[in-house]
Amino acid sequence: LLALAAGARGAGPAPPGDAALGAPAGVAPGLIALARRVESDIGKRFEAVRRCYLDKPTPRFLRLTGAIAHRLEVIGGR
């Protein structure tokens, strides 16, 4: 939503008056900054998941997700 409201990934201006959000004119720079920060945070978090779970310890990660799925099934069956 941030990227859409601010223009495709900050590449363009927001709609006139930022009408898409019902926000006052001039908020596009802030929306662009927020969108970039969110994208950066997503990249950093994925990198941590890749490093900790998807590189060498992938079998451990899959065992853990299987255990979580089993527990959710048990809880859901109550």
Side-chain angles (χ1 to χ4, degrees):
L1 281 174
L2 291 172
L4 177 63
R9 298 182 140 220
D18 302 330
L21 295 178
V27 298
L31 291 172
I32 291 168
L34 285 171
R36 287 182 179 153
R37 176 146 186 198
V38 167
E39 286 179 7
S40 173
D41 287 349
I42 289 170
K44 289 176 188 173
R45 290 174 193 261
F46 178 78
E47 184 58 30
V49 168
R50 186 194 59 74
R51 184 179 61 251
C52 295
Y53 298 106
L54 300 179
D55 280 347
K56 293 179 183 177
T58 300
R60 178 176 180 265
F61 174 73
L62 295 176
R63 280 194 313 275
L64 291 172
T65 56
I68 291 169
H70 177 71
R71 290 180 120 185
L72 290 173
E73 285 177 355
V74 169
I75 291 170
R78 289 182 184 176

